Amino acid sequence: MSLHVRDGKILFPEPLVAATVVRRPNRFIIDVEVEGTTIACHCPTTGRVGNLVLDGLPCLLSRAENSARKTPYTVEAVSVTEPGTGALAWIGINQTAANRYVEQALAHRLLPEVVTTTTVRREQFLGKSRLDFLVNEDTYIEVKTPLENLQVALGDHIRTRPQSPLRSTDRFVKHIGELGRSLAEHERAILLVCFLYDNPGFQVLPSTHHSSVKTEVTTALQRGVEIWQINFQLDPTGVRVLRQYGLTRQFLE
């Protein structure tokens, strides 16, 4: 999906299509209803979306650029807003798209509290890890977009499943550890925790390896790694940076 920025908003090439989730038959597919027709769409996250049962939720779709693709749409967002209570608030579920939004935000200096940007390079190596961005030739940025623990209010109309502990933490531990170990003098390293909805404050979901993850994070922060939170606000035409604030002190307490 090609993006461009106007008046501080990261715009989609065309407006997203409104639909309703019918079911999620597997990790890769979400069936949706569009204008009375059920269509199989690409699901951009193979993991869970909080503990939500997606069936029946409003959703937004982007059209595939490749017309020959088996799934003509990608599900970009869902809404848990109670019907009849006003405009829908959207929860973006496309974790890959988050990196594209961050790239545009950096390139157009929409994250001034985090970094004053002059140059942006994608997928740069630090130690043995390939990180998402190198900014200004001295600031490494790794983007994480958690979806396992949705920190939004859920009304009685929302169905949920039991929440199980997070198990997949290896990649996170590897990257934050590499950030800390490889950080040279006069360099910055930032773990950018992005939410494609208005998350009031990042809360860590306990994992099956909580103690070892906490130790690795504390060590990395003591070596100079910073943690920042970015909230994007998504609507059918694009996304905006809604909030940006530091979390480093919170994780050291």
Side-chain angles (χ1 to χ4, degrees), residues 19-25 29-41 53-59 61 75 78 159 161:
T20 302
V21 175
V22 176
R23 68 185 69 85
R24 184 180 182 180
I29 297 294
I30 295 178
D31 293 335
V32 308
E33 183 177 318
V34 184
E35 296 181 349
T37 301
T38 299
I39 301 174
C41 300
V53 175
L54 299 179
D55 302 9
L57 296 184
C59 63
L61 316 175
V75 179
V78 297
R159 291 186 293 153
R161 295 185 174 91

Side-chain angles (χ1 to χ4, degrees), residues 5-6 10 23 25 41 65 72 85 87 107 115 147 153 187 212 219:
V5 176
R6 185 171 65 237
I10 303 166
R23 68 185 69 85
C41 300
E65 294 180 354
T85 57
V115 61
L147 280 175
E187 289 184 334
S212 60
T219 300

Side-chain angles (χ1 to χ4, degrees), residues 48 50 146-151 163 195 197 199 203-205:
R48 62 196 184 203
L147 280 175
E148 295 86 0
N149 183 23
L150 293 180
Q151 288 149 219
Q163 190 86 309
F195 295 94
Y197 62 96
N199 183 334
Q203 299 173 3
V204 177
L205 184 69

